[in-house]
Each structure stands twice: as structure tokens, then as C-alpha cells.
Amino acid sequence: MKLSQRILGLTGGTSDGWELFNKARRMIDDGVAVTELTIGEHDIRTHQSILDAMHRSASAGHTGYAMIPGTNELRDAVAARVFERTGVPTTRDNVLITPGGQSGLFSAHSALCDEGDVALFCDPYYATYPGTIRAVGAVPRAVPCRFENSFEPSFPDIVAKTRDAKTLLVNSPNNPTGVVYSRETMEGIARACCEHDLWCISDEVYDTQVWDGTHISPRTLDGMLDRTLVIGSMSKSHAMTGSRVGWVVGPEPVIKEMINLATHTNYGVPGYIQDAAAFAIESGQPLEDEIGAPFKRRRSLGQAIIAQQNAVGLVPSSGAMYMLLDIRSTGLSGDEFADRLLETHHIAVMPGESFGACAAGHIRVAMTVEDSAFETALHTLVDFAKGVE
Ligand code: PMP
């Protein structure tokens, strides 16, 4: 059997970063009670009012092929939301509805990169980024976001990587660090894109989860409107991970070509899911705040626990549903730490190495179990770190 190099090479011949997660799932299947602090999945389910809207839509017959670019109602709702949040005039023609942010990332890179083009992304990174870039035939190249620079990309570090590059993928609020890029960082990104003729792909799927400071979309900055594609999603903002609905916002001619790609790949998103998403967006910020509140609360609980000891360091962060912990003083790698913690205490966290070389020696803790279980797990984790020999 001979398969394509493209599919066989998707993970670049290295790990896809999900081993620890898969191991935890196997233990759970075998009946072990594992506290899972791995993937970015809420411990609540999709809000009943959204499910009711989904049901109403399906019962009313919206179960046939839906509009491939997205329904007018949802595209308008996304455009209005983007305008409200950024002040940048945006219409439905700037919006493509996609099966989740992941599909948006793939579509954006497909639209902008030819075979062999270099596509930049910031390290630490969401684990699918390099594989998504390879999936369109482009070559991933990491821009280091250094510990010493609060895990934000600096202008010189971006510029040093721009040779032959077409795109720069940035993600703020960031997974895995929780860092929200400062205005200065975003302006450096914009300057690098303008001076080196790069497209910016801005992954903003955590834009409703900002606990300190302000999220700045690079699309709002000078010279960026016609060189930025923004990736959005209902997964994190509305606990709709399983519904697979997100979007790309960008210049109309690019969206037009991406609609053509959607026709030849996923053929759009089910109509009843789109109606539920439109309902959710139209429900406004109170619903988004309700869904984000547990992470904000657990972040404070977690910060208080980490502040009481020094076996584990906390990477200061301002958003998203994760805490990145510095475990270098234990002498273990993130992989070793996560594996031993899982084996000995049945707590599953993600090794920093799954998110790139810059996150090595760290672990990512998803704040995705209820408060007291979260606190207990963190205390256990800290005690484990203190006892490492
Ligand atoms: N981008 C980032 C940074 C993510 O963390 C995720 C999911 N964890 C995604 C994109 C994809 O999310 P979805 O496809 O569910 O919208």
C-alpha cells in the first residue's frame, strides 16, 4: 500500500504531541480514575438555550445542505460581532463559516501558501500548527517566543525568520501559555508583516477569555486589514467544541476563493449548527462571560496555590483556559514530569514539549475540572514536584 508523502509526513516524522493524552485515555478505558487536565474542553456542556435553538432549527427542517459560505444570519452575526469588538467595518462577504477553527487554519494556509512556501508560526504553539501547515504542502518554520520575553514574539525574532516566508501565524490569547500579547508585540507583528510582505493569520479562538488587559486583533492595526485572516470559533467561547463551527474573517477576494475550497472539501457546516451558533452569538456577552467565568475563577485559585511554594513556577498569563507551569527546578523534562505524575498520581497534564521547544521544561495544566478537584490536583502536583529526586 502506497500512501502520499503529504499524509505520511504530516507530523514531520516526530511525535504529534498527543501521547500523554492518549495514554491517559487508555488508563480511563481500563477503569483508572484519572484527573484530566489535558485538552481545552470545558467541564460544562453546551448551554441548554443553544441546544434548544439547535433543536428548533433541525425540527423546522434545517437538515439539508446548508449555504456553503455560511448562512446569511450567521455570517452577519459574526461580522457584527467582529465590528463590535474591533471597530473594523466587516460584512458577511468578509466571513467564511468553517467546521471549527481548525478547518479555518487549514483553509487560511491553503489560500495563501503554495507548495514549498515557508509558513511561520510562533513557538510555543497549539499542537496542530506544524501539521496543518504541512497538510497544505507548505514548510513550517518556528519563530521562538522566549521565556525571557514573556513568551511573546519579538520583532527581531520574527524578522530573523522571514526569508522566503509567506505567512505568520500568531495566537493571542495563547495556547499553551495563556499569555495575551501586548500592544507593543502586536505592533511588532504588524510591522514585520508590512515590511516583509507577510500575511498574518491571527488565531483568536480565545478572544472571549481575557482576564487581565485587552486583546488586540492585528487586523485593526495600520496596514494590516488587507493582509490579515482572523480565525474564530464557537468552541471555546460557547462550549461548543463538538459542534464544529468557526470562521475565517478577511478580505473579500480571499474569502471568495476559500468558499471555492470549502465547496471542494467540507461542503459547509450543518444548518442547524449554524442556527444554534447564530443564536449563541446573538445572546451577547453575558453568555460568553458565564462560560468563561470558571476559568477566571480557577486561575485565581491556582495562582494562590502556586504562590505558596517554589518547587513549581507560574508563567504569568492573562487569558485562555490554561496555566503554564515551569518545572525546570525538578530537573525533569515536561515529558518525564507529565508521565511520572500520570503514573504515580493519576493526574494528566500536557508536557510543554508537545507545544514546541520554547515550552520545554514546562507543563500545561488545563483548568477544566470543577474547583475543588482542580485545587486538590494542583496541591498533589506541587507535592509531587517537591518530592522529585
Ligand atoms: N486554535 C487554538 C489555539 C486552539 O487551542 C484550538 C483548540 N484547542 C483550535 C485552534 C481549534 O479549535 P476548534 O477547531 O475546536 O475551533
Side-chain angles (χ1 to χ4, degrees):
M1 190 168 49
K2 195 166 175 327
L3 300 180
S4 72
Q5 281 312 313
R6 181 170 292 177
I7 197 141
L8 293 174
L10 210 62
T11 57
T14 57
S15 127
D16 66 359
W18 295 106
E19 290 80 5
L20 192 292
F21 168 74
N22 292 331
K23 182 170 174 178
R25 283 286 157 104
R26 281 197 302 277
M27 286 169 69
I28 292 168
D29 286 346
D30 291 343
V32 181
V34 174
T35 305
E36 271 195 290
L37 307 173
T38 47
I39 48 169
E41 173 93 75
H42 314 65
D43 48 319
I44 52 156
R45 299 289 84 183
T46 305
H47 201 276
Q48 189 58 48
S49 63
I50 302 176
L51 296 180
D52 290 344
M54 200 182 288
H55 185 246
R56 274 196 306 277
S57 167
S59 301
H62 211 168
T63 54
Y65 290 125
M67 297 280 288
I68 293 176
T71 62
N72 288 341
E73 189 193 354
L74 182 55
R75 293 174 88 195
D76 287 347
V78 170
R81 179 185 190 269
V82 170
F83 176 64
E84 221 172 82
R85 296 176 73 89
T86 63
V88 180
T90 304
T91 73
R92 77 169 68 134
D93 295 325
N94 300 117
V95 179
L96 168 69
I97 303 302
T98 59
Q102 181 57 43
S103 170
L105 287 165
F106 175 83
S107 305
H109 285 95
S110 296
L112 304 177
C113 295
D114 277 316
E115 191 77 31
D117 280 344
V118 170
L120 304 180
F121 65 102
C122 297
D123 171 358
Y125 55 87
Y126 173 48
T128 66
Y129 283 0
T132 306
I133 290 168
R134 289 188 199 100
V136 307
V139 179
R141 182 185 293 156
V143 173
C145 301
R146 301 171 199 278
F147 174 81
E148 308 80 58
N149 196 40
S150 315
F151 288 112
E152 299 191 41
S154 73
F155 176 75
D157 280 339
I158 300 171
V159 169
K161 299 288 179 178
T162 50
R163 200 161 167 241
D164 298 328
K166 268 276 183 63
T167 54
L168 168 63
L169 170 56
V170 298
N171 170 222
S172 174
N174 186 267
N175 177 8
T177 62
V179 170
V180 177
Y181 292 177
S182 66
R183 173 165 285 277
E184 189 192 346
T185 295
M186 281 301 186
E187 282 172 353
I189 288 168
R191 196 175 136 210
C193 288
C194 292
E195 289 179 3
H196 294 269
D197 195 18
L198 299 175
W199 277 91
C200 180
I201 301 175
S202 179
D203 180 343
E204 303 183 16
V205 305
Y206 294 98
D207 71 342
T208 61
Q209 298 180 356
V210 178
W211 319 129
D212 305 314
T214 326
H215 165 67
I216 294 161
S217 173
R219 184 168 179 261
T220 62
L221 301 179
D222 275 357
M224 293 299 282
L225 188 59
D226 289 331
R227 56 170 74 248
T228 304
L229 296 181
V230 174
I231 310 297
S233 173
M234 298 299 287
S235 288
K236 314 293 176 176
S237 60
H238 291 83
M240 291 180 73
T241 49
S243 290
R244 312 307 307 130
V245 55
W247 56 82
V248 183
V249 168
E252 190 181 330
V254 188
I255 297 295
K256 195 163 153 263
E257 297 308 326
M258 288 171 56
I259 294 169
N260 195 18
L261 177 68
T263 304
H264 295 89
T265 52
N266 52 56
Y267 218 76
V269 174
Y272 51 92
I273 300 283
Q274 295 198 53
D275 287 346
F279 170 88
I281 291 177
E282 284 156 9
S283 300
Q285 195 172 337
L287 185 54
E288 295 175 3
D289 288 348
E290 186 183 328
I291 291 159
F295 306 119
K296 187 176 183 190
R297 196 174 62 236
R298 289 170 198 155
R299 175 173 166 264
S300 304
L301 297 174
Q303 282 174 336
I305 293 171
I306 302 301
Q308 287 160 13
Q309 53 74 59
N310 47 25
V312 166
L314 176 70
V315 172
S317 72
S318 316
M321 54 215 287
Y322 313 102
M323 295 173 80
L324 194 70
L325 300 181
D326 182 350
I327 49 90
R328 285 176 296 179
S329 68
T330 64
L332 298 181
S333 68
D335 280 319
E336 289 162 342
F337 188 99
D339 195 58
R340 278 168 62 175
L341 183 68
L342 177 61
E343 289 281 346
T344 56
H345 293 85
H346 302 162
I347 294 172
V349 298
M350 292 295 283
E353 288 81 357
S354 292
F355 307 102
C358 290
H362 291 71
I363 51 164
R364 189 194 74 174
V365 179
M367 301 184 283
T368 49
V369 294
E370 61 84 19
D371 298 14
S372 64
F374 180 66
E375 286 183 298
T376 305
L378 269 191
H379 281 299
T380 309
L381 185 154
V382 164
D383 288 344
F384 168 78
K386 285 180 186 159
V388 169
E389 281 152 15

